[in-house]
Amino acid sequence: MTDLASRIGWIERLVAFDTSSGKSNLPLIEDVSLYLESLGVPVTRVPNTDGDRANVYAVIGPLTEGGILLSGHTDVVPVTNQAWSTDPWTLSLRAGRLYGRGTCDMKGFCGIALSLVPEMLAAKLQRPIILALSYDEEIGCIGAPAMIRDIARLLPRPGAVIVGEPTMMTVVDGHKGSTQFRTRVTGVPGHSSDTENCASAVEIAAQLITRLVEMRMLNRTRADSDTLFQPPYTTITSNLVSGGVQQNVMAHECLFTWDLRNLPSDDVDACRQAFDGFAQELAERYAAAGIAIEIATETVVKVPALRPDPDGRASQLARRLTGANQIQVASYASEAGQFQEAGFSTVLCGPGSIEQAHKPDEYVSLDQIERCTRFLRRIIDEMR
């Protein structure tokens, strides 16, 4: 098998597993584990509570500090209602591009790293390379925290973490955080004509959502002209709403979710407190009119931002090995913020473009595969 064929073969192998959000990733984890164990590499699984998903990590080389951790997620977004020109679960090579779900986000990076394990073993590393594969990143970076805690507790601390999200092999040194909230409004049901004694939960939710828009617009007026983030402020959006049973009945309940993408410098808790303060004022206004309503908000997902750290070990290493003169930031969130929160120096650097992620006919170019391969081989040399 040629060198490139080995990379492609592993990407093809991973793409063939339908690990869409909501599905088990265990068949993929089993395949990867058997492969690593066949090479004499011990693996550690970190399962979820239900036992239908698992993270896996493996250490190649000695158990010493100062190694490099290569992180990737195994899940992908669904292909439902997407117009693919080929089978998304069968890798297709056309015009120098590899098409298939997850090719760039992020089974391309994972496949390249796995294909290089024999080279890692042959290199007689002085410091370890740690492979870490997670589950359920796409639905809120749910899987990684348990694995990160395990690694921090049981392994010698790595000097740098490289999260292989698609960055076109540039070094991304910072990203926004992502927090998702669910707000449940309980009104007072009754006939739609009885506006003096009843309250529509849908109308109350509309006022709350309007306040979220106002908060976003206020953030926009305070945008930092010096930041690299786009948009250059913390965004707040509400994208799912459900409530009511019939047009002539005041809605008893309305449920909506809202999404906050914060700059690393902004305080998520302060945004939440501002919203809760308005919700309390709204409830008091209704109470003054003799109408008892309830507004309850819960945090569904909270992914920390990745704070730019140009002097950190990961940033300096990645820039030196890629030849990058500048660092970049991203407006999406990733597991990198979770690694950093646990005290690990972390950056994003992986093959493919985020512009291709989540879309039909997702692809990664062969040129990006080669660039990532060279980068990971330099990491191997670095650990000798």
Side-chain angles (χ1 to χ4, degrees):
M1 180 180 292
T2 66
D3 187 60
L4 178 59
S6 174
R7 312 287 93 76
I8 294 175
W10 256 106
I11 297 170
E12 180 177 34
R13 192 165 165 174
L14 296 179
V15 166
F17 291 101
D18 180 356
T19 52
S20 300
S21 302
K23 293 187 177 182
S24 173
N25 72 334
L26 292 185
L28 182 152
I29 292 297
E30 181 69 17
D31 187 39
V32 168
S33 298
L34 289 174
Y35 163 71
L36 291 171
E37 290 169 346
S38 73
L39 295 174
V41 178
V43 301
T44 301
R45 297 192 193 192
V46 185
N48 68 345
T49 304
D50 295 334
D52 61 348
R53 293 169 177 77
N55 305 297
V56 65
Y57 65 87
V59 181
I60 299 103
L63 287 172
T64 58
E65 292 191 351
I68 303 295
L69 188 148
L70 305 177
S71 167
H73 61 80
T74 61
D75 60 315
V76 296
V77 297
V79 299
T80 307
N81 298 324
Q82 290 189 344
W84 283 73
S85 60
T86 58
D87 179 3
W89 312 114
T90 301
L91 196 71
S92 174
L93 173 58
R94 303 195 309 271
R97 295 172 174 175
L98 297 175
Y99 290 85
R101 173 55 85 220
T103 47
C104 79
D105 187 21
M106 56 184 296
K107 292 178 176 179
F109 178 82
C110 297
I112 297 167
L114 288 166
S115 74
L116 292 175
V117 171
E119 295 184 28
M120 297 176 191
L121 292 169
K124 301 187 184 304
L125 304 176
Q126 299 301 304
R127 289 170 292 168
I129 294 176
I130 304 166
L131 301 182
L133 305 180
S134 66
Y135 67 87
D136 283 355
E137 188 271 354
E138 295 289 4
I139 55 175
C141 299
I142 293 172
M147 179 173 60
I148 294 170
R149 288 193 296 270
D150 217 34
I151 290 171
R153 181 172 59 90
L154 299 175
L155 298 183
R157 183 166 290 270
V161 174
I162 308 295
V163 179
E165 290 282 358
T167 68
M168 293 296 286
M169 293 308 301
T170 61
V171 180
V172 171
D173 190 50
H175 65 58
K176 289 186 176 183
S178 174
T179 308
Q180 297 169 21
F181 300 97
R182 182 185 296 117
T183 297
R184 186 181 302 275
V185 179
T186 304
V188 178
H191 195 280
S192 59
S193 64
D194 191 8
T195 57
E196 293 298 311
N197 300 302
C198 303
S200 167
V202 170
E203 287 189 353
I204 299 166
Q207 296 175 72
L208 292 165
I209 293 171
T210 298
R211 175 50 64 98
L212 291 175
V213 174
E214 292 171 350
M215 290 170 62
R216 183 178 75 234
M217 292 298 100
L218 179 60
N219 288 344
R220 188 183 184 202
T221 65
R222 299 170 175 171
D224 181 359
S225 59
D226 294 328
T227 186
L228 297 175
F229 288 98
Q230 293 299 326
Y233 56 91
T234 292
T235 60
I236 308 171
T237 60
S238 183
N239 303 304
L240 289 173
V241 183
S242 63
V245 293
Q246 190 165 301
Q247 177 58 37
N248 62 349
V249 177
M250 294 281 227
H252 176 244
E253 188 174 86
C254 185
L255 185 70
F256 67 92
T257 62
W258 47 289
D259 177 275
L260 189 149
R261 303 282 173 151
N262 65 290
L263 296 174
S265 58
D266 279 357
D267 185 352
V268 175
D269 292 336
C271 293
R272 168 68 187 273
Q273 289 167 9
F275 175 80
D276 286 345
F278 176 74
Q280 180 65 29
E281 292 175 9
L282 197 58
E284 290 173 356
R285 289 207 300 267
Y286 277 90
I291 300 174
I293 67 169
E294 293 183 7
I295 303 169
T297 299
E298 62 177 323
T299 302
V300 179
V301 169
K302 188 173 184 178
V303 182
L306 177 66
R307 300 182 309 278
D309 183 20
D311 295 325
R313 164 74 169 148
S315 181
Q316 291 187 343
L317 173 72
R319 281 184 285 147
R320 176 163 55 83
L321 297 185
T322 60
N325 294 320
Q326 295 181 328
I327 57 173
Q328 299 185 23
V329 297
S331 292
Y332 56 81
S334 80
E335 294 167 344
Q338 295 171 324
F339 277 103
Q340 186 184 67
E341 188 176 57
F344 298 108
S345 179
T346 308
V347 294
L348 306 177
C349 186
S353 169
I354 196 65
E355 295 300 319
Q356 302 305 322
H358 301 189
K359 295 180 179 179
D361 288 347
E362 177 184 346
Y363 71 83
V364 63
S365 71
L366 294 181
D367 173 68
Q368 285 289 299
I369 297 298
E370 292 293 359
R371 288 183 61 183
C372 183
T373 300
R374 290 194 297 270
F375 173 66
L376 294 185
R377 281 180 170 151
R378 288 168 185 157
I379 285 179
I380 295 173
D381 290 339
E382 192 79 13
M383 295 296 99
R384 290 180 189 270

mmCIF file of all heavy atoms in Angstrom, residues 185-204 248-254 283 286-287 289-294:
data_model
loop_
_atom_site.group_PDB
_atom_site.id
_atom_site.type_symbol
_atom_site.label_atom_id
_atom_site.label_comp_id
_atom_site.label_asym_id
_atom_site.label_seq_id
_atom_site.Cartn_x
_atom_site.Cartn_y
_atom_site.Cartn_z
ATOM 1 N N VAL A 185 -41.840 28.827 29.915
ATOM 2 C CA VAL A 185 -42.772 29.842 30.409
ATOM 3 C C VAL A 185 -44.108 29.179 30.705
ATOM 4 O O VAL A 185 -44.666 28.466 29.862
ATOM 5 C CB VAL A 185 -42.970 30.969 29.371
ATOM 6 C CG1 VAL A 185 -43.961 32.004 29.906
ATOM 7 C CG2 VAL A 185 -41.640 31.619 29.017
ATOM 8 N N THR A 186 -44.611 29.388 31.905
ATOM 9 C CA THR A 186 -45.928 28.871 32.284
ATOM 10 C C THR A 186 -46.869 30.053 32.478
ATOM 11 O O THR A 186 -46.645 30.919 33.347
ATOM 12 C CB THR A 186 -45.852 28.053 33.584
ATOM 13 O OG1 THR A 186 -44.889 27.003 33.432
ATOM 14 C CG2 THR A 186 -47.212 27.454 33.910
ATOM 15 N N GLY A 187 -47.893 30.106 31.631
ATOM 16 C CA GLY A 187 -48.861 31.191 31.709
ATOM 17 C C GLY A 187 -50.113 30.767 32.455
ATOM 18 O O GLY A 187 -50.110 29.790 33.209
ATOM 19 N N VAL A 188 -51.180 31.492 32.245
ATOM 20 C CA VAL A 188 -52.481 31.166 32.852
ATOM 21 C C VAL A 188 -53.452 30.909 31.705
ATOM 22 O O VAL A 188 -53.835 31.845 30.986
ATOM 23 C CB VAL A 188 -52.988 32.313 33.747
ATOM 24 C CG1 VAL A 188 -54.364 31.971 34.326
ATOM 25 C CG2 VAL A 188 -51.997 32.594 34.861
ATOM 26 N N PRO A 189 -53.825 29.649 31.470
ATOM 27 C CA PRO A 189 -54.671 29.341 30.314
ATOM 28 C C PRO A 189 -56.105 29.816 30.512
ATOM 29 O O PRO A 189 -56.565 30.015 31.636
ATOM 30 C CB PRO A 189 -54.599 27.816 30.249
ATOM 31 C CG PRO A 189 -54.345 27.380 31.662
ATOM 32 C CD PRO A 189 -53.485 28.456 32.254
ATOM 33 N N GLY A 190 -56.777 29.992 29.405
ATOM 34 C CA GLY A 190 -58.174 30.411 29.433
ATOM 35 C C GLY A 190 -58.611 30.835 28.044
ATOM 36 O O GLY A 190 -57.846 30.726 27.064
ATOM 37 N N HIS A 191 -59.831 31.324 27.943
ATOM 38 C CA HIS A 191 -60.339 31.761 26.645
ATOM 39 C C HIS A 191 -59.533 32.972 26.163
ATOM 40 O O HIS A 191 -59.134 33.831 26.960
ATOM 41 C CB HIS A 191 -61.826 32.131 26.767
ATOM 42 C CG HIS A 191 -62.509 32.238 25.451
ATOM 43 N ND1 HIS A 191 -62.411 33.358 24.652
ATOM 44 C CD2 HIS A 191 -63.289 31.351 24.776
ATOM 45 C CE1 HIS A 191 -63.111 33.171 23.547
ATOM 46 N NE2 HIS A 191 -63.664 31.945 23.597
ATOM 47 N N SER A 192 -59.289 33.026 24.869
ATOM 48 C CA SER A 192 -58.444 34.091 24.325
ATOM 49 C C SER A 192 -59.038 35.487 24.511
ATOM 50 O O SER A 192 -58.331 36.491 24.379
ATOM 51 C CB SER A 192 -58.174 33.848 22.829
ATOM 52 O OG SER A 192 -59.389 33.811 22.101
ATOM 53 N N SER A 193 -60.320 35.558 24.853
ATOM 54 C CA SER A 193 -60.939 36.868 25.083
ATOM 55 C C SER A 193 -60.705 37.385 26.504
ATOM 56 O O SER A 193 -60.881 38.573 26.781
ATOM 57 C CB SER A 193 -62.453 36.778 24.842
ATOM 58 O OG SER A 193 -63.059 35.901 25.784
ATOM 59 N N ASP A 194 -60.274 36.492 27.399
ATOM 60 C CA ASP A 194 -60.154 36.857 28.806
ATOM 61 C C ASP A 194 -58.741 37.349 29.131
ATOM 62 O O ASP A 194 -58.002 36.737 29.899
ATOM 63 C CB ASP A 194 -60.521 35.653 29.679
ATOM 64 C CG ASP A 194 -60.674 36.016 31.151
ATOM 65 O OD1 ASP A 194 -60.650 37.226 31.461
ATOM 66 O OD2 ASP A 194 -60.781 35.085 31.969
ATOM 67 N N THR A 195 -58.383 38.480 28.555
ATOM 68 C CA THR A 195 -57.020 38.990 28.718
ATOM 69 C C THR A 195 -56.776 39.624 30.089
ATOM 70 O O THR A 195 -55.623 39.893 30.440
ATOM 71 C CB THR A 195 -56.702 40.022 27.623
ATOM 72 O OG1 THR A 195 -57.684 41.069 27.683
ATOM 73 C CG2 THR A 195 -56.712 39.378 26.256
ATOM 74 N N GLU A 196 -57.831 39.859 30.854
ATOM 75 C CA GLU A 196 -57.658 40.472 32.178
ATOM 76 C C GLU A 196 -57.269 39.447 33.238
ATOM 77 O O GLU A 196 -56.627 39.788 34.234
ATOM 78 C CB GLU A 196 -58.948 41.184 32.607
ATOM 79 C CG GLU A 196 -59.303 42.395 31.768
ATOM 80 C CD GLU A 196 -58.240 43.474 31.857
ATOM 81 O OE1 GLU A 196 -57.826 43.816 32.984
ATOM 82 O OE2 GLU A 196 -57.795 43.952 30.792
ATOM 83 N N ASN A 197 -57.649 38.201 33.027
ATOM 84 C CA ASN A 197 -57.427 37.182 34.051
ATOM 85 C C ASN A 197 -56.473 36.069 33.612
ATOM 86 O O ASN A 197 -56.073 35.251 34.452
ATOM 87 C CB ASN A 197 -58.766 36.551 34.462
ATOM 88 C CG ASN A 197 -59.729 37.567 35.036
ATOM 89 O OD1 ASN A 197 -59.421 38.230 36.025
ATOM 90 N ND2 ASN A 197 -60.889 37.716 34.404
ATOM 91 N N CYS A 198 -56.162 36.031 32.345
ATOM 92 C CA CYS A 198 -55.317 34.963 31.821
ATOM 93 C C CYS A 198 -54.062 35.562 31.174
ATOM 94 O O CYS A 198 -53.991 36.772 30.945
ATOM 95 C CB CYS A 198 -56.074 34.118 30.792
ATOM 96 S SG CYS A 198 -57.599 33.389 31.448
ATOM 97 N N ALA A 199 -53.112 34.717 30.873
ATOM 98 C CA ALA A 199 -51.877 35.194 30.240
ATOM 99 C C ALA A 199 -51.348 34.106 29.317
ATOM 100 O O ALA A 199 -51.210 32.944 29.728
ATOM 101 C CB ALA A 199 -50.827 35.547 31.285
ATOM 102 N N SER A 200 -51.086 34.494 28.085
ATOM 103 C CA SER A 200 -50.566 33.542 27.102
ATOM 104 C C SER A 200 -49.062 33.352 27.300
ATOM 105 O O SER A 200 -48.285 34.323 27.239
ATOM 106 C CB SER A 200 -50.830 34.038 25.682
ATOM 107 O OG SER A 200 -50.088 33.290 24.748
ATOM 108 N N ALA A 201 -48.652 32.115 27.515
ATOM 109 C CA ALA A 201 -47.221 31.817 27.661
ATOM 110 C C ALA A 201 -46.462 32.165 26.385
ATOM 111 O O ALA A 201 -45.287 32.535 26.439
ATOM 112 C CB ALA A 201 -47.028 30.339 27.999
ATOM 113 N N VAL A 202 -47.142 32.077 25.246
ATOM 114 C CA VAL A 202 -46.497 32.423 23.977
ATOM 115 C C VAL A 202 -46.172 33.910 23.937
ATOM 116 O O VAL A 202 -45.087 34.322 23.512
ATOM 117 C CB VAL A 202 -47.387 32.022 22.780
ATOM 118 C CG1 VAL A 202 -46.839 32.583 21.479
ATOM 119 C CG2 VAL A 202 -47.510 30.505 22.694
ATOM 120 N N GLU A 203 -47.110 34.748 24.387
ATOM 121 C CA GLU A 203 -46.865 36.187 24.407
ATOM 122 C C GLU A 203 -45.727 36.551 25.372
ATOM 123 O O GLU A 203 -44.895 37.414 25.080
ATOM 124 C CB GLU A 203 -48.135 36.939 24.802
ATOM 125 C CG GLU A 203 -49.198 36.967 23.726
ATOM 126 C CD GLU A 203 -50.343 37.891 24.083
ATOM 127 O OE1 GLU A 203 -50.363 38.402 25.232
ATOM 128 O OE2 GLU A 203 -51.212 38.113 23.223
ATOM 129 N N ILE A 204 -45.701 35.878 26.505
ATOM 130 C CA ILE A 204 -44.630 36.140 27.479
ATOM 131 C C ILE A 204 -43.281 35.732 26.887
ATOM 132 O O ILE A 204 -42.282 36.461 27.000
ATOM 133 C CB ILE A 204 -44.908 35.373 28.785
ATOM 134 C CG1 ILE A 204 -46.228 35.844 29.396
ATOM 135 C CG2 ILE A 204 -43.758 35.572 29.770
ATOM 136 C CD1 ILE A 204 -46.751 34.927 30.489
ATOM 137 N N ASN A 248 -57.736 29.857 19.912
ATOM 138 C CA ASN A 248 -58.610 30.632 20.812
ATOM 139 C C ASN A 248 -58.408 30.284 22.285
ATOM 140 O O ASN A 248 -59.254 30.569 23.124
ATOM 141 C CB ASN A 248 -60.083 30.452 20.425
ATOM 142 C CG ASN A 248 -60.539 29.003 20.546
ATOM 143 O OD1 ASN A 248 -59.714 28.110 20.718
ATOM 144 N ND2 ASN A 248 -61.850 28.788 20.450
ATOM 145 N N VAL A 249 -57.264 29.657 22.597
ATOM 146 C CA VAL A 249 -56.942 29.307 23.980
ATOM 147 C C VAL A 249 -55.628 29.981 24.365
ATOM 148 O O VAL A 249 -54.620 29.834 23.669
ATOM 149 C CB VAL A 249 -56.803 27.779 24.155
ATOM 150 C CG1 VAL A 249 -56.403 27.454 25.604
ATOM 151 C CG2 VAL A 249 -58.088 27.076 23.775
ATOM 152 N N MET A 250 -55.644 30.737 25.441
ATOM 153 C CA MET A 250 -54.416 31.326 25.956
ATOM 154 C C MET A 250 -53.438 30.202 26.290
ATOM 155 O O MET A 250 -53.774 29.265 27.028
ATOM 156 C CB MET A 250 -54.699 32.147 27.212
ATOM 157 C CG MET A 250 -55.557 33.370 26.945
ATOM 158 S SD MET A 250 -54.615 34.714 26.241
ATOM 159 C CE MET A 250 -55.184 36.076 27.248
ATOM 160 N N ALA A 251 -52.250 30.267 25.723
ATOM 161 C CA ALA A 251 -51.288 29.170 25.869
ATOM 162 C C ALA A 251 -50.850 28.995 27.315
ATOM 163 O O ALA A 251 -50.433 29.963 27.966
ATOM 164 C CB ALA A 251 -50.076 29.423 24.987
ATOM 165 N N HIS A 252 -50.940 27.776 27.785
ATOM 166 C CA HIS A 252 -50.521 27.475 29.147
ATOM 167 C C HIS A 252 -49.000 27.423 29.253
ATOM 168 O O HIS A 252 -48.437 27.838 30.272
ATOM 169 C CB HIS A 252 -51.115 26.137 29.601
ATOM 170 C CG HIS A 252 -50.659 25.704 30.961
ATOM 171 N ND1 HIS A 252 -49.910 24.569 31.177
ATOM 172 C CD2 HIS A 252 -50.836 26.278 32.184
ATOM 173 C CE1 HIS A 252 -49.636 24.452 32.469
ATOM 174 N NE2 HIS A 252 -50.193 25.465 33.102
ATOM 175 N N GLU A 253 -48.360 26.921 28.191
ATOM 176 C CA GLU A 253 -46.909 26.738 28.272
ATOM 177 C C GLU A 253 -46.245 27.077 26.944
ATOM 178 O O GLU A 253 -46.799 26.855 25.873
ATOM 179 C CB GLU A 253 -46.577 25.291 28.656
ATOM 180 C CG GLU A 253 -45.120 25.039 28.954
ATOM 181 C CD GLU A 253 -44.872 23.629 29.475
ATOM 182 O OE1 GLU A 253 -44.704 22.706 28.649
ATOM 183 O OE2 GLU A 253 -44.854 23.453 30.712
ATOM 184 N N CYS A 254 -45.032 27.615 27.034
ATOM 185 C CA CYS A 254 -44.217 27.862 25.846
ATOM 186 C C CYS A 254 -42.759 27.569 26.216
ATOM 187 O O CYS A 254 -42.280 27.971 27.285
ATOM 188 C CB CYS A 254 -44.353 29.302 25.359
ATOM 189 S SG CYS A 254 -43.485 29.628 23.799
ATOM 190 N N ALA A 283 -42.274 38.854 35.455
ATOM 191 C CA ALA A 283 -43.158 38.091 36.333
ATOM 192 C C ALA A 283 -43.791 38.996 37.388
ATOM 193 O O ALA A 283 -44.980 38.842 37.736
ATOM 194 C CB ALA A 283 -42.369 36.963 37.000
ATOM 195 N N TYR A 286 -46.727 41.009 35.914
ATOM 196 C CA TYR A 286 -47.949 40.198 35.816
ATOM 197 C C TYR A 286 -48.543 39.978 37.202
ATOM 198 O O TYR A 286 -49.774 40.013 37.386
ATOM 199 C CB TYR A 286 -47.654 38.858 35.143
ATOM 200 C CG TYR A 286 -47.654 38.914 33.629
ATOM 201 C CD1 TYR A 286 -46.499 39.189 32.926
ATOM 202 C CD2 TYR A 286 -48.839 38.702 32.916
ATOM 203 C CE1 TYR A 286 -46.504 39.242 31.533
ATOM 204 C CE2 TYR A 286 -48.860 38.760 31.529
ATOM 205 C CZ TYR A 286 -47.686 39.033 30.842
ATOM 206 O OH TYR A 286 -47.699 39.100 29.457
ATOM 207 N N ALA A 287 -47.679 39.738 38.193
ATOM 208 C CA ALA A 287 -48.165 39.499 39.555
ATOM 209 C C ALA A 287 -48.912 40.719 40.090
ATOM 210 O O ALA A 287 -49.909 40.598 40.822
ATOM 211 C CB ALA A 287 -46.992 39.147 40.462
ATOM 212 N N ALA A 289 -50.755 42.553 38.497
ATOM 213 C CA ALA A 289 -52.093 42.538 37.897
ATOM 214 C C ALA A 289 -52.892 41.320 38.352
ATOM 215 O O ALA A 289 -53.979 41.054 37.828
ATOM 216 C CB ALA A 289 -51.982 42.538 36.376
ATOM 217 N N GLY A 290 -52.338 40.581 39.326
ATOM 218 C CA GLY A 290 -53.052 39.425 39.864
ATOM 219 C C GLY A 290 -52.907 38.169 39.040
ATOM 220 O O GLY A 290 -53.707 37.234 39.206
ATOM 221 N N ILE A 291 -51.929 38.121 38.175
ATOM 222 C CA ILE A 291 -51.729 36.949 37.310
ATOM 223 C C ILE A 291 -50.386 36.315 37.643
ATOM 224 O O ILE A 291 -49.337 36.963 37.549
ATOM 225 C CB ILE A 291 -51.772 37.342 35.822
ATOM 226 C CG1 ILE A 291 -53.127 37.975 35.484
ATOM 227 C CG2 ILE A 291 -51.506 36.138 34.928
ATOM 228 C CD1 ILE A 291 -53.205 38.534 34.076
ATOM 229 N N ALA A 292 -50.423 35.041 38.038
ATOM 230 C CA ALA A 292 -49.204 34.341 38.458
ATOM 231 C C ALA A 292 -48.631 33.538 37.290
ATOM 232 O O ALA A 292 -49.257 32.577 36.821
ATOM 233 C CB ALA A 292 -49.509 33.417 39.635
ATOM 234 N N ILE A 293 -47.481 33.953 36.833
ATOM 235 C CA ILE A 293 -46.799 33.219 35.764
ATOM 236 C C ILE A 293 -45.464 32.698 36.305
ATOM 237 O O ILE A 293 -45.010 33.119 37.376
ATOM 238 C CB ILE A 293 -46.532 34.107 34.530
ATOM 239 C CG1 ILE A 293 -45.508 35.217 34.875
ATOM 240 C CG2 ILE A 293 -47.829 34.701 34.001
ATOM 241 C CD1 ILE A 293 -44.994 35.978 33.678
ATOM 242 N N GLU A 294 -44.870 31.775 35.557
ATOM 243 C CA GLU A 294 -43.571 31.236 35.946
ATOM 244 C C GLU A 294 -42.623 31.257 34.743
ATOM 245 O O GLU A 294 -43.040 30.952 33.619
ATOM 246 C CB GLU A 294 -43.701 29.806 36.471
ATOM 247 C CG GLU A 294 -44.459 29.686 37.782
ATOM 248 C CD GLU A 294 -44.497 28.242 38.282
ATOM 249 O OE1 GLU A 294 -43.826 27.383 37.667
ATOM 250 O OE2 GLU A 294 -45.213 27.982 39.273
#
